[in-house]
Amino acid sequence: DAGVIQSPRHEVTEMGQEVTLRCKPISGHNSLFWYRQTMMRGLELLIYFNNNVPIDDSGMPEDRFSAKMPNASFSTLKIQPSEPRDSAVYFCASSSRTRAKNIQYFGAGTRLSVL
Amino acid sequence: AQSVSQHNHHVILSEAASLELGCNYSYGGTVNLFWYVQYPGQHLQLLLKYFSGDPLVKGIKGFEAEFIKSKFSFNLRKPSVQWSDTAEYFCAVSPNRDDKIIFGKGTRLHILP
């Protein structure tokens, strides 16, 4: 299995620009999670999907953040417009309740820098 | 609300020292318990897990953890640490019927060579 795949690995952008982060979960997993990690706030859950449906988006910081999961093998996290305080590492993780009892497998992350 | 508390934010040890990282959670029902490790510059990886059965679980790289239900604790241990164990360690809890995992704030472990 290829694991959770995230792209890009690094993104540098200027304040006000739109940023799109991508995630491909492990095949057969039905839950997908987006996390943000910073030194100050640690690891925060932003949103998660179950069977492509958003279940809990209470961690999404504000309306500038949106996430979609159009099918079982792809999800995006979009920030529009981006701000310097959005600089962080964004992780995607996937899990399967039936196959592996909710063990979450993480992607390598996208390191976002907003200048 | 469910929460996970890790007792130490930063731990510094010398090689060959013994390690114990504390973790307590607040949830009254049946839970699944995890320890994840994040090596510098890398993503989180599963170190070990507890679902049911023997409360003493063994993971990779010589780590083990003990689930004490009466204390709502799941402490991580290793008898002799190595420099390569330098990493951040996250305790996590998932209510048995939930897809979400609640992570603690992490403990940064630094091993002196």
Side-chain angles (χ1 to χ4, degrees):
Chain A
D1 212 328
V4 177
I5 299 172
Q6 291 187 245
S7 64
R9 291 294 311 277
H10 302 274
E11 177 81 38
V12 181
T13 190
E14 292 187 345
M15 182 173 64
Q17 297 298 307
E18 177 179 296
V19 174
T20 300
L21 311 181
R22 297 172 176 80
C23 176
K24 177 178 167 54
I26 292 173
S27 176
H29 282 190
N30 62 335
S31 294
L32 183 140
F33 305 81
W34 282 102
Y35 292 89
R36 178 172 67 176
Q37 188 177 38
T38 61
M39 288 289 290
M40 293 295 293
R41 300 173 70 94
L43 190 66
E44 304 172 276
L45 175 65
L46 301 177
I47 184 171
Y48 85 93
F49 297 82
N50 197 2
N51 295 322
N52 312 338
V53 175
I55 303 300
D56 184 352
D57 65 354
S58 59
M60 295 286 261
E62 47 198 274
D63 291 345
R64 298 185 297 107
F65 285 69
S66 63
K68 293 182 180 179
M69 192 164 186
N71 57 61
S73 58
F74 184 66
S75 176
T76 60
L77 177 68
K78 185 178 292 187
I79 308 172
Q80 165 64 15
S82 58
E83 296 182 3
R85 60 190 167 125
D86 301 330
S87 298
V89 181
Y90 290 81
F91 288 106
C92 175
S94 70
S95 70
S96 166
R97 181 186 293 223
T98 52
R99 281 172 59 180
K101 274 205 174 186
N102 293 346
I103 296 172
Q104 289 188 15
Y105 295 87
F106 283 74
T110 296
R111 183 174 295 275
L112 173 65
S113 297
V114 183
L115 306 177
Chain B
Q2 302 144 16
S3 66
V4 177
S5 174
Q6 293 185 235
H7 305 165
N8 308 99
H9 295 298
H10 202 170
V11 173
I12 301 174
L13 294 172
S14 298
E15 272 193 313
S18 64
L19 169 71
E20 180 159 4
L21 301 182
C23 173
N24 286 90
Y25 65 93
S26 63
Y27 182 74
T30 304
V31 293
N32 298 321
L33 297 160
F34 309 88
W35 276 96
Y36 280 80
V37 61
Q38 186 177 28
Y39 297 104
Q42 296 189 26
H43 60 284
L44 276 76
Q45 305 169 47
L46 183 68
L47 195 57
L48 50 76
K49 63 190 182 297
Y50 171 81
F51 294 147
S52 63
D54 188 345
L56 184 62
V57 293
K58 295 192 183 300
I60 59 173
K61 303 187 179 186
F63 286 90
E64 65 180 30
E66 184 175 14
F67 171 48
I68 303 179
K69 188 174 181 179
S70 60
K71 295 185 178 181
F72 298 90
S73 71
F74 190 55
N75 292 352
L76 180 70
R77 299 195 293 250
K78 185 171 183 178
S80 178
V81 294
Q82 300 173 309
W83 179 78
S84 58
D85 294 325
T86 293
E88 189 160 14
Y89 293 81
F90 293 89
C91 180
V93 171
S94 175
N96 206 19
R97 296 183 179 183
D98 206 338
D99 297 311
K100 225 163 52 168
I101 293 181
I102 312 299
F103 284 89
K105 293 199 177 299
T107 297
R108 288 179 181 267
L109 175 65
H110 187 73
I111 306 299
L112 302 173

